[in-house]
């Protein structure tokens, strides 16, 4: 099995190196990741500037490339390079991200976008995140990544990616795994004004996640993580609200 790995924290991040080491036990691993930090860049791609590719050293990888682009760039370009080199990729992974990618945060996430790009390119894909910006515990995330790598996605039929989030706890303290949907991730604070630069006012995005008191951890990934469970969400790139199509046709008279 051949697995392609990217991320949004950059090729030097500990998380991608942990994921490469874990998956190299069950597959040949190839890496194509951003040269530096690209968190919260969502599914942006580079249109106006050329991308530069440099060979890198990632222990456990058969080959690794540092790319000065966005996470989606790295997957799209990296998979193209693999194809030209005659390497048949079976699955695409993104992570292990330093920080959670839960609920509506998946819209902003470069980690999730890298996995979705893999899906757009026709590959079963998996995003893996730990809900801490400086994770101390990788064991559960590594174990779930390996389990996902060994899944036969062909048996599922519908093309999809898996979004895995793990609390930053020792494996023995994680309560279990919940298969859920996406919840709503909300923050208190958000933009904070920090002085000025000449005539321009400076704002920095900040804020703490809202802690919910009544939340369903069986159907909601935000709730599952809050209660100490790992959450696995099957995702796809189709954002259509099918329930409203007929109502729009019949009532809105476009």
């Amino acid at each position: 099995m051949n697995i392609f790995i990217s991320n949004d924290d950059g090729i030097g991040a500990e998380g991608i190196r942990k994921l490469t080491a874990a998956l190299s036990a069950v597959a040949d691993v190839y890496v194509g990741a951003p040269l530096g930090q690209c968190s919260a860049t969502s599914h942006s791609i580079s249109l106006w500037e050329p991308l530069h590719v440099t060979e890198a050293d990632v222990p456990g990888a058969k080959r690794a490339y540092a790319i000065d682009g966005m996470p989606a760039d790295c997957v799209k370009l990296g998979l193209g390079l693999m194809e030209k080199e005659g390497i048949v990729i079976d699955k695409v992974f993104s992570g292990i991200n330093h920080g959670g990618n839960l609920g509506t945060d998946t819209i902003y996430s470069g980690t999730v976008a890298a996995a979705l790009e893999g899906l757009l390119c026709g590959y079963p894909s998996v995003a893996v995140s730990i809900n801490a910006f400086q994770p101390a515990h990788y064991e559960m995330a590594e174990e779930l990544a390996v389990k996902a790598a060994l899944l036969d996605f062909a048996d599922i039929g519908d093309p999809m990616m898996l979004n895995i989030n793990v609390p930053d706890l020792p494996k023995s303290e994680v309560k279990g795994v919940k298969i859920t949907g996406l919840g709503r991730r909300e923050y208190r604070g958000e933009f904070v004004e920090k002085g000025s630069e000449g005539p321009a006012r400076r704002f920095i995005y900040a804020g703490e996640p809202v802690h919910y008191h009544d939340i369903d951890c069986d159907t909601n990934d935000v709730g599952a993580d809050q209660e100490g469970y790992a959450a696995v969400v099957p995702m796809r790139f189709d954002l259509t609200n099918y329930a409203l199509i007929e109502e729009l046709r019949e009532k809105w008279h476009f």
Side-chain angles (χ1 to χ4, degrees):
M1 178 166 55
N2 294 320
I3 290 176
F4 183 84
I5 298 178
S6 193
N7 72 349
D8 73 357
D9 289 321
I11 198 161
E14 183 178 13
I16 197 169
R17 291 166 184 265
K18 291 280 191 180
L19 183 59
T20 300
L23 293 180
S24 66
V26 296
D28 287 341
V29 174
Y30 300 85
V31 173
L35 193 58
Q37 178 59 253
C38 291
S39 291
T41 53
S42 190
H43 213 120
S44 58
I45 58 173
S46 302
L47 293 178
W48 313 118
E49 297 292 336
L51 295 174
H52 301 89
V53 180
T54 307
E55 288 200 30
D57 179 28
V58 177
K62 296 290 184 181
R63 198 164 304 156
Y65 296 117
I67 303 169
D68 63 346
M70 299 294 106
D73 287 325
C74 295
V75 174
K76 188 183 290 290
L77 176 56
L79 290 173
L81 291 173
M82 295 297 101
E83 185 176 352
K84 288 180 180 178
E85 294 169 17
I87 299 164
V88 179
I89 296 298
D90 297 291
K91 292 184 174 76
V92 172
F93 275 71
S94 180
I96 296 170
N97 192 63
H98 302 177
N101 284 298
L102 295 156
T104 44
D105 274 356
T106 57
I107 296 169
Y108 307 104
S109 168
T111 302
V112 172
L116 282 173
E117 184 61 37
L119 185 62
L120 281 168
C121 292
Y123 299 88
S125 299
V126 181
V128 187
S129 304
I130 298 175
N131 196 15
F133 291 117
Q134 294 180 315
H137 307 285
Y138 285 89
E139 299 89 347
M140 189 66 173
E142 292 167 336
E143 180 178 302
L144 291 178
V146 170
K147 285 186 176 181
L150 297 175
L151 285 176
D152 186 355
F153 279 61
D155 286 345
I156 297 169
D158 189 27
M160 70 166 186
M161 61 152 282
L162 298 178
N163 186 37
I164 299 172
N165 279 273
V166 179
D168 188 28
L169 297 170
K171 180 183 169 184
S172 60
E173 294 181 21
V174 178
K175 293 180 180 179
V177 179
K178 297 284 188 181
I179 311 299
T180 73
L182 294 174
R184 184 172 181 83
R185 188 69 157 163
E186 298 174 293
Y187 294 84
R188 291 191 179 90
E190 299 195 353
F191 285 100
V192 177
E193 188 163 2
K194 295 283 188 178
S196 62
E197 294 178 356
R201 298 160 65 194
R202 295 174 65 243
F203 290 84
I204 296 175
Y205 193 79
E208 292 295 321
V210 172
H211 183 89
Y212 300 95
H213 297 288
D214 296 307
I215 191 167
D216 185 356
C217 67
D218 290 320
T219 61
N220 183 308
D221 64 340
V222 176
D225 179 84
Q226 182 177 291
E227 296 304 314
Y229 292 90
V232 180
V233 179
M235 291 180 62
R236 58 186 181 182
F237 48 77
D238 185 353
L239 301 179
T240 307
N241 187 337
Y242 288 97
L244 289 181
I245 288 178
E246 286 305 316
E247 183 173 344
L248 283 171
R249 286 173 177 164
E250 296 172 5
K251 297 180 180 180
W252 287 47
H253 307 296
F254 273 110

